[in-house]
Amino acid sequence: MVEQELIRAAQSGDRDALITLLREIEPAVYKTAYYTLNNEQDAMDAAQEALIRIYTKIGSYEEKAQFKTWVQRIVTNICIDKFRRAKPTVSIEEHEMVFEGSESVEGEVMRAYTREDIDRAINLLPEHHRTVVILRYVQDMSYNEIADSLELPLNTVKSYLFRARGQLQQLLGDYQKGGAL
């Protein structure tokens, strides 16, 4: 949670406060960008763009909404813009796996595959469903925070999440039965 005093100091021109603030929110900004865009390089670009926008627009932040909601609205909008401009591509990334402790290698591998399956299923969702799923389950935002962040009615957010969960259940159920994602 970002301290209000830090936000106010950053808004009043305190450069050190602004840098501290940006460092505090950077992991959450990157996380949202990564799960939205599903590509490390694009996520880094979107996160950087979001942080620059926050840097330049900090003076326009009003305490009507939570700071976290304001930040998520910025990064989400940037990601949506990038997603719309991007041409569909297929990227093959190698993932390094580190096996530690008493956990079995088989368990680690299965967990990694499960995570990839869930990520693929989320990426198959329509954009508006994918966005609310990421904000709810990756960023752990409340329904109200999501509604504020995306400037949507609360019932629309609930409806999108309900439909997205159904779609994910269908996609993952079909996959478990031998279908392909």
Side-chain angles (χ1 to χ4, degrees):
M1 182 67 81
V2 177
E3 298 288 329
Q4 285 303 117
E5 295 82 32
L6 184 62
I7 296 167
R8 287 188 194 106
Q11 287 181 308
S12 67
D14 183 339
R15 183 172 160 79
D16 291 334
L18 182 56
I19 291 170
T20 301
L21 180 65
L22 292 173
R23 284 188 178 138
E24 282 188 26
I25 64 172
E26 184 178 14
V29 168
Y30 174 77
K31 192 174 187 182
T32 297
Y34 181 78
Y35 278 94
T36 302
L37 299 170
N38 200 31
N39 176 295
E40 186 174 352
Q41 190 61 48
D42 290 344
M44 289 180 358
D45 291 345
Q48 181 177 15
E49 188 176 333
L51 291 169
I52 291 169
R53 191 164 302 165
I54 292 163
Y55 177 86
T56 60
K57 302 284 186 187
I58 190 72
S60 69
Y61 167 69
E62 299 173 1
E63 292 184 26
K64 294 177 191 174
Q66 290 184 19
F67 184 72
K68 170 177 147 180
T69 306
W70 183 75
V71 167
Q72 288 301 321
R73 180 180 306 138
I74 290 171
V75 69
T76 301
N77 287 340
I78 288 170
C79 289
I80 288 169
D81 289 345
K82 282 191 173 300
F83 189 76
R84 285 181 180 153
R85 286 181 291 195
K87 295 179 182 173
T89 59
V90 176
S91 67
I92 300 172
E93 297 180 19
E94 293 183 33
H95 297 283
E96 232 178 86
M97 295 180 72
V98 178
F99 302 105
E100 299 176 358
S102 62
E103 184 72 31
S104 73
V105 172
E106 182 177 315
E108 285 288 329
V109 170
M110 291 308 294
R111 226 180 335 280
Y113 281 128
T114 301
R115 180 70 204 164
E116 287 177 17
D117 295 341
I118 292 169
D119 287 347
R120 266 191 227 108
I122 289 171
N123 285 321
L124 290 174
L125 294 174
E127 180 181 306
H128 53 284
H129 289 172
R130 181 176 49 253
T131 301
V132 294
V133 165
I134 290 167
L135 292 177
R136 177 72 180 129
Y137 298 109
V138 175
Q139 290 298 344
D140 198 31
M141 292 176 75
S142 71
Y143 292 163
N144 287 328
E145 290 171 331
I146 296 168
D148 289 344
S149 179
L150 299 177
E151 297 176 337
L152 293 172
L154 180 60
N155 285 335
T156 301
V157 169
K158 289 179 180 179
S159 174
Y160 284 178
L161 279 168
F162 177 80
R163 290 184 184 132
R165 283 190 296 260
Q167 289 171 325
L168 286 171
Q169 192 172 30
Q170 179 69 42
L171 287 166
L172 293 169
D174 289 348
Y175 177 73
Q176 288 177 341
K177 293 175 187 170
L181 280 180

